[in-house]
Amino acid sequence: MQKRIIFCSLLSCILLSCLSQEKESFDVVVYGGTPGGVISAVAASRNGAKVLLIEQTNHVGGLSTSGINTAESEHMINKAITGIALEFYVRMGEKFPDGYFETFFNGRTLNFKKGDPAFFFESHVAEEMYNEMLEEAGVNVTFGKYVDSVSKKAGTIDQIILTDGTTVNGEIFIDASYEGDLMARSGVTYTYGREGRSKYNESYAGIRFMDDTISARTVDHSGKILPYFSKDSGLKAGEGDDRVMNYNFRLSTTKVDSNKVEIQRPVDYNPSQFSLLRDFLKSYPETKLNKLIGIYDRGSGKFEFNNKQDAIISLGLFGGNREYPDADYDKRQEIYDNHKSYTLGFLYFLGHDGSVPENLRQEMRSFGFSKDEFVDNDHFPYYLYIREARRMVGDFVLTQHDILDDRSKEDAVMLGSHWIDSHHVQRVQVSDSTFTNEGRIWHKVTEPYEIPYGVLLPKKDEVTNLLVPVCSSLSHVAFCSYRLESTWMQMGHVAGTAAALSLKKKTTPAELEIDILREQLAKEGVIYKIGNLGDYDDYDNE
């Protein structure tokens, strides 16, 4: 495996002094070094644009370099991942030694051959690959910067001001952040939470009671409702609200002693916050760790920990993200810290609390954090897993019907195929001794659907030079199929190419001729029509 690119040496290679002056102008400014943002920047630069990528942390790659070590291909039609996204996965596969993919199982038999995409990987390798692609494309990258305000003239963004006072001028802007902060500050219509069923006539929309009612204490000894519960104040199935699905961290762990860092007792550890977990284990003492945590076998002896989608209790901090979508940066940091504290406490409790059955304690203690991941952050992910935050509301909104029924679009620019997947949204108190988890969706999608260019664009009377490939114009239900890095990378490719072509054609992204865009995307390896995908056998044996 190639030697890792160290952050300091990376700076000397690609972090140009692009912001050393008070103002500098770029053709394309990409906000958010998520996978979608990286590919947006690469695509625009390859098409001749002068590009600045603004990343909020000290590492590019978002969740792909913060613990999500899969393209989610086990829930997708693999051939529908195309363009620069596919190039990224293929090139990453070249970084792993022979036999690497034969050492672990990923939900499907890999049968990996040289030249195949590495749809399962390790975070530090993904970061190497993103950095290489940015450097090759000549993208200017700056780290640790946040947008503070946006200046517009006649519906066009002319500059953004960052929180450190830096002013950045650009011709076209791309918001590829998970939160849509540039979009929101641009005066674009957006929403968050869940539409009711009646909004778009979606069967999966709104509040969803589909899981069992569980017997457990929901109040303390004084009758006060316990943390992480929501009161059932007249909740009705199908009604909309402003809640988003659970957040958690995607942890990289291992049992290999030479690469294992013991999970320590957190300084703010408070075992009382896990009273529900204690009660649950008392009632179900035979519980195995994989019933509480999604544990995914990865390479090099690593395991990826995730919130378990259908678990009664897991790594998701119920209610902890309540204010996140529209919060300021300080509040979001507080929410990150709260989730981190909960996560470390949850793991430590399982490994050490005397109320936990000994077999489960031993199983938990067999895992530790991976020493070679997140080395400058105590081996803990840089990003909280923001499954959804804001969503733009454009002139076109993709809905459940476009995924399951009306799958063909005249202005299609890419294919989607992931299942409709929402984790729980809230833990609802039914009585003092019962509760239910609410909000989950799990619908298997076995046919591809076409995603139109319109989901990238704000309403025409709002902003003319902004593209939004992550917090795009979709309903909550549709977003539950869209919300993954391999899809965002493909839409980032579309956004970057559209931005560069718009400049070449002296037009705006909204006015760019779709045939010109699609002709260039096809040259760049993008498949955007179902009829051009050919045969696929992803679900033949299921």
Side-chain angles (χ1 to χ4, degrees), residues 230-242:
S230 301
K231 289 187 176 181
D232 183 0
S233 52
L235 296 177
K236 295 181 180 179
E239 287 190 343
D241 61 15
D242 63 355

Side-chain angles (χ1 to χ4, degrees), residues 80-82 85 414-415 485-494:
I81 300 174
T82 65
M414 65 161 286
L415 296 176
E485 307 299 348
S486 56
T487 296
W488 285 331
M489 282 198 285
Q490 293 176 88
M491 195 54 88
H493 181 172
V494 175

